[in-house]
Amino acid sequence: MSARLLASGSGDKFEAPGLHIFDWKPIFEGQAGLAWLTKPTLIVILAALAVILFAWRAFGNPKLVPRGVQNVGEVAYLLVRDQVARPMLGKDGDRWMPFLFSTFFFVLFMNYAGVIPVLQLPATSHIAIPIVLALAVYGMMLFLGIKHQGLVGYFKNVMFPPGLPKALYVILAPIEFLSTIILRPFTHAVRLFANMFAGHLLIAFFATVAWWFLAEKLTPLGAGVGVVGFVMTIVMTAFEIFVQSLQAFIFTLLAASYINSSLHADH
């Protein structure tokens, strides 16, 4: 457990971990040129390198009979292709696999950093990172929509889906414009951020409870509370791994859905 987290429960009074556990100063303080290098930034860099290394080891020199990392890579590729790309994009799914595969594992590795010793922080619990990812998908969605449907055609298809009574468009058009054009990148980012933020905070809370009552203020009564905190830390960590995987999947699934809506207008 990092000293930063344990500091929340040290001293004469128990203090539950708060927003300060997400506030990381530059790793090399005093170095003006490296002021940007914080722990979340480092995790983003490591996640990107992990994706590159994983893809290179799995597919750089493929064998007829897959073994080792190639075997894992092929299973991972089939997971993204059969559960995300093809269901969402149909015949275009395979063409978008490089982007979807990279996005899924990039988000997944950043999420998993929250349960990796020493790192112990999901980079996506910092709102700036999900926002950048969501804006990248949003920009791609607008570009593809205008390219394939035309500027007027794209916004017309978004705001006026065919087959509905014309009177309904008075209500539906503003709602569709707001939800698709204005709020979509926000909801895409916040869904990932909120889950990672809340999960990390819960694990930090139970870990602090365990440390406080078992190490700092050990008493017969407090020992029971500390054991509960310890057990809950393990349970919440296991649950968080599931949530981290699920959120990476959902983020990629939504990205594929948005791309499909730009490539093919609803008819």
Side-chain angles (χ1 to χ4, degrees):
M1 188 61 59
S2 65
R4 189 183 188 85
L5 175 56
L6 297 180
S8 301
S10 61
D12 296 329
K13 182 180 179 182
F14 175 79
E15 295 183 10
L19 296 180
H20 64 276
I21 68 172
F22 298 95
D23 182 22
W24 293 90
K25 296 180 180 179
I27 296 175
F28 302 101
E29 290 191 73
Q31 300 291 329
L34 294 175
W36 57 271
L37 187 57
T38 60
K39 190 173 183 179
T41 308
L42 177 62
I43 292 172
V44 172
I45 295 172
L46 292 176
L49 292 175
V51 173
I52 294 171
L53 180 62
F54 175 55
W56 175 66
R57 289 294 306 275
F59 310 117
N61 186 26
K63 306 296 183 182
L64 183 60
V65 179
R67 300 175 61 183
V69 179
Q70 181 185 344
N71 194 40
V72 175
E74 290 190 2
V75 172
Y77 184 92
L78 291 175
L79 170 68
V80 178
R81 188 194 69 180
D82 296 342
Q83 302 300 322
V84 177
R86 289 184 176 176
M88 289 292 104
L89 289 161
K91 63 181 181 180
D92 294 315
D94 290 1
R95 184 162 62 94
W96 283 94
M97 271 302 296
F99 171 74
L100 297 174
F101 181 88
S102 301
T103 299
F104 173 73
F105 282 100
F106 183 48
V107 175
L108 186 67
F109 290 158
M110 286 193 293
N111 290 352
Y112 277 172
V115 294
I116 296 176
V118 180
L119 295 179
Q120 292 178 301
L121 177 73
T124 44
S125 65
H126 281 248
I127 186 62
I129 294 170
I131 284 177
V132 170
L133 294 173
L135 286 177
V137 174
Y138 179 71
M140 188 179 300
M141 178 192 76
L142 291 180
F143 173 79
L144 291 172
I146 294 172
K147 177 182 177 182
H148 288 270
Q149 303 176 40
L151 179 62
V152 175
Y154 175 67
F155 284 93
K156 178 182 177 182
N157 290 325
V158 166
M159 299 173 63
F160 303 97
L164 297 176
K166 292 183 178 180
L168 193 59
Y169 290 134
V170 176
I171 300 174
L172 185 62
I175 293 176
E176 288 294 331
F177 179 81
L178 182 65
S179 62
T180 302
I181 305 301
I182 305 299
L183 296 179
R184 178 164 285 183
F186 174 78
T187 57
H188 198 195
V190 168
R191 182 181 287 105
L192 176 60
F193 158 74
N195 280 278
M196 294 302 99
F197 179 89
H200 186 63
L201 196 59
L202 280 173
I203 292 175
F205 172 76
F206 287 116
T208 304
V209 168
W211 175 263
W212 172 260
F213 287 101
L214 292 178
E216 291 285 333
K217 299 292 181 181
L218 181 60
T219 63
L221 179 61
V225 178
V227 169
V228 172
F230 178 76
V231 172
M232 286 302 299
T233 300
I234 296 175
V235 172
M236 288 305 302
T237 299
F239 180 70
E240 185 64 7
I241 292 174
F242 168 74
V243 173
Q244 289 166 345
S245 304
L246 181 63
Q247 289 305 313
F249 177 81
I250 291 175
F251 187 90
T252 310
L253 190 74
L254 289 174
S257 174
Y258 299 159
I259 291 171
N260 180 66
S261 67
S262 296
L263 294 177
H264 308 288
D266 294 331
H267 296 288

